[in-house]
Amino acid sequence: ETGVTQTPRHLVMGMTNKKSLKCEQHLGHNAMYWYKQSAKKPLELMFVYSLEERVENNSVPSRFSPECPNSSHLFLHLHTLQPEDSALYLCASSQKTGYTEAFFGQGTRLTVV
Amino acid sequence: SQQGEEDPQALSIQEGENATMNCSYKTSINNLQWYRQNSGRGLVHLILIRSNEREKHSGRLRVTLDTSKKSSSLLITASRAADTASYFCATDESTGGFKTIFGAGTRLFVKA
């Protein structure tokens, strides 16, 4: 266990559904991240939060909406997704943004049907 | 954007052999990290090497960094079947910013 917990572990949703992914860390870290991992592609950084403020948004479609209500929790709200959004979504945290070790959750395997 | 690129994409060896994976990157960095990922799970941090360091050890792992060639290598000595996983390098841009950029990874398979 890395100290970063993601729920659910698996999610199947239709293209018209709305769902949310949850990430929780109790490591006292100030930075949290969402990554997307698709088959045979590098990890794609989606969002970065530092002290609950979004500091990076890597041209992610608006059907993905992050929320960071406090430094321990991070959500990724999903709506009207496409089949190509099916992937492993990984949450990570670190003491501060950049230059430090990141701790990853186990990921949520998302399938859009 | 900057990206680490691992080489080879896949590597298959016998238990007990050494495994070497390479990573190349494009711009100046502050540090380079190596991570491991078991199939379908999260990444686990292995080792971080700073731009002013040339070599670092951690157990059976040895990492080298050559900033003049913009490359790094990860050596796993005396490999075990449990080392079977994907290995990624990740870099942080020295120009500042918040990105840790990962490569596509090397898939290592260690045969018992």
Side-chain angles (χ1 to χ4, degrees), chain B residues 3-8 19-27 29 31-35 47-51 53-56 62-75 87-91 106:
Chain B
Q3 178 179 351
E5 296 181 4
E6 290 89 346
D7 167 56
T20 300
M21 289 159 270
N22 302 298
C23 169
S24 60
Y25 56 92
K26 296 174 184 172
T27 64
I29 60 170
N31 66 56
L32 185 143
Q33 304 179 57
W34 284 92
Y35 287 81
I47 200 164
L48 181 153
I49 186 166
R50 303 200 183 281
S51 59
E53 297 176 309
R54 292 295 166 260
E55 189 171 313
K56 206 161 182 180
R62 174 178 167 248
V63 168
T64 61
L65 179 64
D66 187 336
T67 52
S68 66
K69 295 181 180 177
K70 292 186 170 58
S71 68
S72 172
S73 68
L74 169 67
L75 168 68
Y87 292 83
F88 297 86
C89 69
T91 54
T106 292

Side-chain angles (χ1 to χ4, degrees), chain A residues 2 9 33 35 37 41-43 45 48 55-56 58 88 90 97-107 109, chain B residues 3 30-31 33 35 37 40-45 48 50 88 92-93 95-104:
Chain A
T2 61
R9 291 293 307 277
Y33 313 79
Y35 284 90
Q37 187 176 34
K41 283 187 177 181
L43 235 63
L45 179 63
V48 180
V55 295
E56 189 78 29
N58 265 8
L88 182 68
L90 292 163
T97 52
Y99 323 137
T100 61
E101 173 186 353
F103 291 75
F104 282 80
Q106 298 291 348
R109 172 68 64 185
Chain B
Q3 178 179 351
N30 284 309
N31 66 56
Q33 304 179 57
Y35 287 81
Q37 183 182 33
R41 301 177 71 93
L43 279 71
V44 175
H45 183 264
L48 181 153
R50 303 200 183 281
F88 297 86
D92 286 303
E93 298 169 344
T95 53
F98 309 103
K99 296 182 182 181
T100 298
I101 306 297
F102 287 81

